[in-house]
């Protein structure tokens, strides 16, 4: 059975315009799934509906046997610990140190008081350093995040997600603010996360070629509907035209 | 931009300039304010100041008593500001769109803030005088209310500016509201908040003098007393001490700012 199953998901912000229309797809354990589509297609909305940063209108999101849309506050909080999220603008606390930001990923497992007092066990701290080392930024552990480069900040973001011990990581355009070299570093890390740790990754991407070279599967979203769902081999010129309404060579600026 | 638009822009600024001059003349006329006459009194005023505001050794004998009053004022300002800051922190968190618990509290916090802020401290002192009488509580409350208004507004802006990005990220990890506020929002905004609090302490020491005249407390009371006794040397000394106190506090807070930011 697949880890995540999205059924008949609908969402509109204003009553008259539907941003997501009857979305159906599923993702297996350890799968690397890319979501591509033009700006405004609803990619970010789709990701945010999954961990309920945005409230969906209708549908089901089955995750590990639970329907996330039916969960109440406490259960939702527990479910969210299993879902990491990575953002285009990293969404760290800039004034705090790298290690503090990484440990923020453990709040979901703590009582409010433990969290507010900043009580972390030795294991948690060791794990945080282990992850920083794995992503090659242990030298910056005590630096403030606003002193780091974009690529380094995004790696802090990945550490923060990984320390949650998630089963699923949602990435909303993780490389859109990065240069080509840092982009490759980040994508390689995400790929190894899904392969080695068996964590499912759903990644919103703007670059079709990047999606094709990293993904097990690609979903093409246009105007709130899925217009393509298949392997990267199946995604040829015809489908790209269907997703974006234009040929790849016209996509260079995207 | 083309030539025509550029010319029009120039015309606009000339018109605006003329309008300002016009408004200045009209208001001077309406208030019987005569610039020439006003200027003419300046030398006389300066001569009076030079003759009457000389501090002598006699005056210095009053120094300990005056300093005691000044202390009272400074500590009242600090107390009013810090207590107001604690209240404002809650109102600021409730009022900011990022951290608002719900729309009702958010609007309420903003309403309290603008109500408290848009009535001048002196007006608050006069209003509170009616119910609390002439004592230090009245002065304290007047400063307190004005400060809550100002700081709430400043804190709301600091939190809004810090942005919702980290809030969103931590909510997504399963963190609770208070964890996010306590460990992401407040640490991010703290230096700016402290900076505003220091600014308010400076402002309040200045206002406290005026409020003190009305409520008969602190350095304002001393000022009023000697003024009415026509002891202008003492008044000059008090004024100098207030200026010195404000400058010292300002220097100290600038130093603190440099360290924390
Ligand atoms: N909070 C919101 N309130 C109202 N409308 C919104 C909101 N967020 C997104 N939308 C609208 O929903 C549509 C889809 O937005 P979404 O951000 O999901 O697109 P996207 O595919 O992520 O685009 P991009 O590639 O530019 O990030 C857009 O038309 C957008 O204007
Ligand atoms: Mg988006």
């Amino acid at each position: 059975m697949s880890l995540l199953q999205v059924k008949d998901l609908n969402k509109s912000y204003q009553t008259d315009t539907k941003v997501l229309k009857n979305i159906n797809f599923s993702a297996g354990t350890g799968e690397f799934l890319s979501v591509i589509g033009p700006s405004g297609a609803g990619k970010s909305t789709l990701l945010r509906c999954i961990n309920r940063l945005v409230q969906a209108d209708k549908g089901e999101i089955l995750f590990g046997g639970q329907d996330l849309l039916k969960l109440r506050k406490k259960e939702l909080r527990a479910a969210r610990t299993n879902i990491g999220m990575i953002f285009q603008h990293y969404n760290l606390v800039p004034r705090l140190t790298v290690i503090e930001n990484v440990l923020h990923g453990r709040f979901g497992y703590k009582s409010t008081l433990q969290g507010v007092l900043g009580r972390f066990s030795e294991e948690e701290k060791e794990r945080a350093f282990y992850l920083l080392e794995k992503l090659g930024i242990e030298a910056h552990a005590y630096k403030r995040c606003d002193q780091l480069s974009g690529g380094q900040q995004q790696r802090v973001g990945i550490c923060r997600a990984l320390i949650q011990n998630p089963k699923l990581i949602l990435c909303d355009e993780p490389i859109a603010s990065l240069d080509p070299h840092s982009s490759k570093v980040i994508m390689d890390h995400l790929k190894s996360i899904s392969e080695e740790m068996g964590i499912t990754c759903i990644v919103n991407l703007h670059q079709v070629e990047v999606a094709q070279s990293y993904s097990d599967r690609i979903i093409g979203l246009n105007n709130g509907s899925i217009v393509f769902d298949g392997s990267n081999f199946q995604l040829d010129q015809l489908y790209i035209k269907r997703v974006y309404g234009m040929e790849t060579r016209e996509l260079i600026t995207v | 931009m083309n030539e025509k638009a550029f010319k029009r822009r120039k015309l606009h600024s000339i018109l605006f300039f003329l309008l300002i001059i016009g408004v200045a003349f009209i208001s001077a006329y309406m208030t019987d304010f005569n610039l020439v006459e006003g200027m003419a009194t300046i030398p006389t005023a300066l001569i009076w100041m030079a003759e009457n505001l000389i501090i002598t050794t006699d005056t210095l004998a009053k120094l300990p008593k005056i300093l005691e009053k000044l202390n009272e004022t400074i500590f009242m300002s600090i107390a009013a500001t810090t207590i107001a800051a604690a209240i404002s922190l809650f109102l600021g968190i409730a009022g900011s769109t990022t951290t608002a618990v719900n729309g009702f509290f958010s609007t309420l916090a903003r309403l309290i803030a603008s109500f408290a802020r848009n009535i001048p401290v002196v007006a608050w002192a006069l209003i509170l005088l009616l119910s609390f009488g002439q004592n230090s509580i009245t002065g304290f409350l007047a400063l307190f209310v004005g400060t809550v208004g100002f700081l709430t507004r400043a804190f709301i802006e600091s939190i809004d500016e810090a942005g919702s990005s980290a809030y969103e990220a931590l909510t997504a990890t399963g963190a609770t509201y208070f964890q996010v506020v306590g460990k992401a929002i407040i640490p991010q905004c703290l230096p700016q908040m402290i900076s505003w609090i220091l600014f308010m302490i400076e402002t309040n020491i200045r206002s406290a003098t005026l409020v003190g005249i009305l409520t008969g407390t602190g350095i304002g009371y001393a000022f009023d007393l000697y003024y009415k006794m026509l002891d202008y040397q003492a008044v000059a000394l008090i004024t100098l001490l207030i200026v010195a106190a404000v400058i010292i506090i300002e220097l100290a807070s600038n130093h603190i700012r440099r360290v924390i930011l």
Side-chain angles (χ1 to χ4, degrees), chain A residues 13-14 19 37-46 54 88 172-173 204 206 221:
Chain A
Y13 291 102
Q14 281 103 27
V19 176
S39 190
K43 305 185 293 294
S44 301
T45 306
L46 175 59
V54 160
Q88 176 181 352
D172 194 4
E173 303 195 14
N204 280 356
H206 257 143
L221 206 61

Side-chain angles (χ1 to χ4, degrees), chain B residues 10-254:
Chain B
K10 210 167 160 188
L11 189 70
H12 277 180
S13 40
I14 290 173
L15 281 179
F16 186 68
F17 191 64
L18 289 177
L19 188 73
I20 297 257
I21 293 181
V23 168
F25 267 103
I26 293 169
S27 41
Y29 175 75
M30 280 169 47
T31 54
D32 280 333
F33 175 76
N34 188 322
L35 189 64
V36 181
E37 261 174 43
M39 295 277 241
T41 56
I42 290 177
T44 345
L46 285 179
I47 291 168
W48 184 90
M49 279 190 199
E51 280 171 355
N52 287 282
L53 299 181
I54 304 292
I55 296 162
T56 60
T57 38
D58 273 355
T59 329
L60 285 179
K62 294 164 190 154
L63 192 61
K65 252 173 87 180
I66 295 174
L67 279 180
E68 192 186 309
K69 289 286 178 196
L70 185 63
N71 256 346
E72 196 185 315
T73 299
I74 291 175
F75 282 108
M76 187 175 83
S77 308
I78 292 176
T81 314
T82 43
I83 295 172
I87 307 281
S88 301
L89 183 61
F90 287 102
L91 290 176
I93 289 168
S96 164
T97 36
T98 307
T99 49
V101 191
N102 64 41
F104 173 74
F105 284 120
S106 172
T107 315
L108 187 70
R110 281 165 191 269
L111 220 73
I112 292 174
S114 60
F115 188 71
R117 188 169 42 113
N118 287 320
I119 297 176
V121 173
V122 174
W124 275 119
L126 290 172
I127 295 166
L128 293 165
L129 261 180
L130 298 177
S131 34
F132 290 91
Q134 254 200 342
N135 58 45
S136 50
I137 294 288
T138 310
F140 174 86
L141 283 178
L143 293 180
F144 173 80
V145 173
T147 309
V148 165
F150 183 89
L151 284 183
T152 301
R153 173 79 214 191
F155 288 178
I156 286 177
E157 258 161 39
S158 301
I159 296 173
D160 281 345
E161 204 180 297
S164 54
S165 63
Y167 187 90
E168 189 181 37
L170 289 200
T171 306
T173 68
T176 62
Y177 175 78
F178 288 105
Q179 286 171 344
V180 180
V181 169
K183 296 307 258 189
I185 304 291
I186 293 181
Q188 184 60 26
C189 302
L190 197 60
Q192 229 182 4
M193 289 178 169
I194 291 176
S195 183
W196 281 121
I197 293 171
L198 292 171
F199 170 78
M200 246 1 248
I201 290 178
E202 292 162 25
T203 312
N204 276 347
I205 288 175
R206 268 176 240 131
S207 323
T209 312
L210 197 58
V211 170
I213 293 177
L214 298 172
T215 58
T217 48
I219 196 77
Y221 170 72
F223 186 98
D224 195 36
L225 187 72
Y226 289 117
Y227 187 83
K228 284 181 178 149
M229 286 161 61
L230 308 183
D231 186 348
Y232 297 122
Q233 283 96 349
V235 171
L237 180 64
I238 290 172
T239 313
L240 272 182
L241 286 175
I242 294 172
V243 172
V246 170
I247 289 177
I248 289 170
I249 300 261
E250 224 171 84
L251 289 176
S253 53
N254 279 344

Side-chain angles (χ1 to χ4, degrees), chain A residues 101-116:
Chain A
N101 268 289
V102 173
L103 287 169
H104 281 174
R106 295 300 297 175
F107 282 156
Y109 293 99
K110 295 186 179 300
S111 72
T112 293
L113 194 65
Q114 278 177 326
V116 171

